[in-house]
Amino acid sequence: MSQIPVPPPNWWSRNWKWFVPTLVVTGMALIAAFILAIMSFLFGMMKSSEPYQTGLSRARADAAVVAALGEPITPGYFVQGNIDGSAASGEANLAIPLKGSRGAATLYVEANKRAGEWQYETLVVALDGGQRIDLRDEDDDAGEFGR
C-alpha cells in the first residue's frame, strides 16, 4: 500500500496564532488614534477661540492672579465647556484650568457674541482656597465688552 502524501500546512494555519492578536492590537490602536485626533482638534478649536484667548490673557495680566498663582501661568490641557455660534452671534461657557508656580485655579468664562462682538458676563478666576478674582474691567460694564 502506498501512503497518500500530506499536503504542507497553508500560511493561515501556520501563522494565525500571531496574526490575530496583531490584527486586534492594530485595530485598537487605530481607534484610539482616531479618538485622540478628534479630541485634539476640538480642544484646539476651543483654545484658539477669542473668549479663551481673552480670558487667559487677562488672567496672566492681573496682579492678584499672578500673586496667587505665581508665574508663569499656564493653561491645563482639558478645557471644559462649549462654544457655539457664527460670525455675528454666539455663546461661550468655558472652565479653563490654570496652573502657576504657587498654585492652581480655574478660569470661568461666560460670554455672548452679539453683532460680531463678544460680551463677557463672567470672567472669574476661582482659586483652590475658594477666593474668586473678577477679571472684568470697566470697559466690560460700559459696553465695549459688556451688556
Side-chain angles (χ1 to χ4, degrees), residues 7-8 13-16 25 34 37 61 81-83 87 93-94 96 99 105 109-111 113 126 133 136 139 147:
S13 63
R14 289 189 322 262
N15 297 302
W16 73 271
V25 168
F34 179 72
N82 60 26
I83 297 177
N93 295 304
L94 301 173
I96 305 164
K99 189 185 299 183
V109 179
E110 292 180 7
K113 189 176 189 181
I133 301 170
R136 293 189 317 149
D139 292 338
R147 297 174 247 225

Side-chain angles (χ1 to χ4, degrees), residues 3-52:
Q3 291 185 342
I4 301 174
V6 178
N10 62 15
W11 183 90
W12 180 253
S13 63
R14 289 189 322 262
N15 297 302
W16 73 271
K17 290 180 183 177
W18 67 265
F19 185 75
V20 171
T22 302
L23 189 64
V24 169
V25 168
T26 302
M28 289 171 48
L30 287 174
I31 290 170
F34 179 72
I35 291 170
L36 188 63
I38 289 174
M39 287 179 58
S40 180
F41 175 74
L42 293 175
F43 283 131
M45 282 180 48
M46 275 190 185
K47 289 183 176 187
S48 66
S49 71
E50 186 177 337
Y52 179 94

Side-chain angles (χ1 to χ4, degrees), residues 27-146:
M28 289 171 48
L30 287 174
I31 290 170
F34 179 72
I35 291 170
L36 188 63
I38 289 174
M39 287 179 58
S40 180
F41 175 74
L42 293 175
F43 283 131
M45 282 180 48
M46 275 190 185
K47 289 183 176 187
S48 66
S49 71
E50 186 177 337
Y52 179 94
Q53 294 295 327
T54 299
L56 188 59
S57 65
R58 287 199 191 180
R60 286 177 171 161
D62 189 83
V65 175
V66 171
L69 298 181
E71 289 189 297
I73 296 175
T74 57
Y77 292 111
F78 297 108
V79 178
Q80 296 178 354
N82 60 26
I83 297 177
D84 184 31
S86 63
S89 64
E91 182 180 343
N93 295 304
L94 301 173
I96 305 164
L98 300 176
K99 189 185 299 183
S101 60
R102 288 188 216 123
T106 303
L107 170 61
Y108 294 101
V109 179
E110 292 180 7
N112 288 310
K113 189 176 189 181
R114 295 184 189 114
E117 208 170 304
W118 285 102
Q119 301 170 349
Y120 296 91
E121 297 175 7
T122 303
L123 203 53
V124 173
V125 174
L127 302 173
D128 283 346
Q131 180 185 1
R132 297 171 70 85
I133 301 170
D134 192 352
L135 301 178
R136 293 189 317 149
D137 57 21
E138 298 82 33
D139 292 338
D140 293 339
D141 294 328
E144 179 183 341
F145 295 106

